[in-house]
Amino acid sequence: MRAARLSVVAAVATAAALTAVTGCTEKSDAKGDGAIQVTATDSKCDVSKKEFPAGHIELAIQNKGSKVTEVYILFPDDRIVTERENIGPGTRQTVTAEVKAGDYTIACKPGMKGKGIRQTVKATGGKVGKRDPRLDQAVAAYREYVQAQADETLPKVATFVKAVKDGDIDAAKAAYAPSRIGWERTEPVAESFGDIDPKVDVREDGLAEGQDPATDWTGWHRLEKALWQDKKITDREKELADQLTTDLKDWQERVGKAEITPTSMANGAKELLDEVATGKVTGEEERYSHTDLVDFKANVEGAQKSYDLLKTVAQENDAALVTELDQQFAALNTLLDKYRADKPNATQYDFTSYDKVGKDDRKKLSDAVNALAEPLSKLAAAVVK
């Protein structure tokens, strides 16, 4: 969960207008001059084309502003088609995505805050063709994976919630990080719905303008603060624990119906690395519990799952990229292993408390994340070559 999210609207829309492509499409002219040029500044979000063919599209993004920015493609109800964050001043990035005919919004978010500066665009036409069956298999396998993660999360959340409702602070602390692993592995899918993530994973500084933390802040991090900073469980925390269960059951029921495409899998893997870079490495995500490395590991696992499922096709299209990704995933996982907690009966998710990880070590982790994130940003394009 980033420091701030786009505000979102929960809406039910017709599949024809609002779903991402579920079959392979003819590419729009996504290379060179055919790419949609997005120029972001601190006050503008200029888009070179307001209308373009549906199918595989490419955004060629340039940040000419003074702030780090994010760029989103959004459905009309603010559900996320794809996104790219951590676009530094003076840098360029490309994003490959699949869109069906319909209306969309391209949003730039200077400082990665607020609703962003928006441009309405339209995807027209687009021929649905036959997708490589291996990509269909990858999508099907990933859909099973995200459903399994949700199914496995609910019992762990039940353990956490029971401890909160029993008033057992120590037991609740022990159950907190494990209850988040499945969510962190598949967070981009949950975020694509728009309305669930702000209920369960928002931090206090990520609340929408006008929201009151005393009444509007819900989810894991609100309970994290109560356990580690306030060191008390009141009736309000017990209510919030029940609400967390309700909201995550909603996620569990909906996640299997999420719109998933090969490019959304690839872009989601990059988004998970962005989550690490903007929240876990900085220590902002778990600022009270300091369990950031558990989230870190889960994000990397989720990114690697998407990559592994797409790897066969990517290998044929860009063997050098696959070699680099294999190396960088291995390097990052090896580095993470150095921070495992040294204690009896430790599990694979017992890591050093992040407040004990010094500045130099955090820099090493950040460098390893960046070394993986850069080639991972090219995976979507490799899949649809």
Side-chain angles (χ1 to χ4, degrees), residues 81-103:
V81 178
T82 196
E83 64 180 293
R84 181 60 49 83
E85 65 174 278
N86 267 354
I87 306 170
T91 64
R92 298 173 183 265
Q93 292 200 26
T94 59
V95 181
T96 301
E98 297 178 33
V99 295
K100 197 172 184 177
D103 295 323

Side-chain angles (χ1 to χ4, degrees), residues 265-267 269 303 306-307 310-311 314 321-322 325 375-384:
M265 289 170 60
N267 289 328
S306 291
Y307 166 61
L310 297 169
K311 184 175 176 178
L321 177 65
V322 167
L325 285 170
L376 198 57
S377 68
K378 301 173 184 178
L379 180 60
V383 167
V384 300

Side-chain angles (χ1 to χ4, degrees), residues 27-45:
K27 279 190 182 181
S28 60
D29 185 10
K31 299 297 181 184
D33 294 338
I36 301 165
Q37 307 293 323
V38 180
T39 304
T41 69
D42 295 344
S43 59
K44 293 182 180 180
C45 184

Side-chain angles (χ1 to χ4, degrees), residues 270-291:
K270 174 59 167 62
E271 289 165 30
L272 285 169
L273 266 291
D274 289 339
E275 290 281 345
V276 175
T278 60
K280 282 69 175 184
V281 168
T282 62
E284 295 178 67
E285 180 79 5
E286 306 290 358
R287 61 190 64 174
Y288 310 110
S289 66
H290 305 301
T291 56

Side-chain angles (χ1 to χ4, degrees), residues 149-165:
Q149 293 306 304
D151 293 344
E152 293 167 13
T153 293
L154 266 294
K156 295 176 181 178
V157 170
T159 300
F160 173 61
V161 167
K162 182 179 185 302
V164 172
K165 296 184 73 174

Side-chain angles (χ1 to χ4, degrees), residues 12 30 32 84 97 158 189 196 210 214 238 295 302 339 374 380:
V12 177
R84 181 60 49 83
V189 177
I196 298 176
K238 294 176 183 180
D295 291 357
Y339 300 94
E374 193 280 327

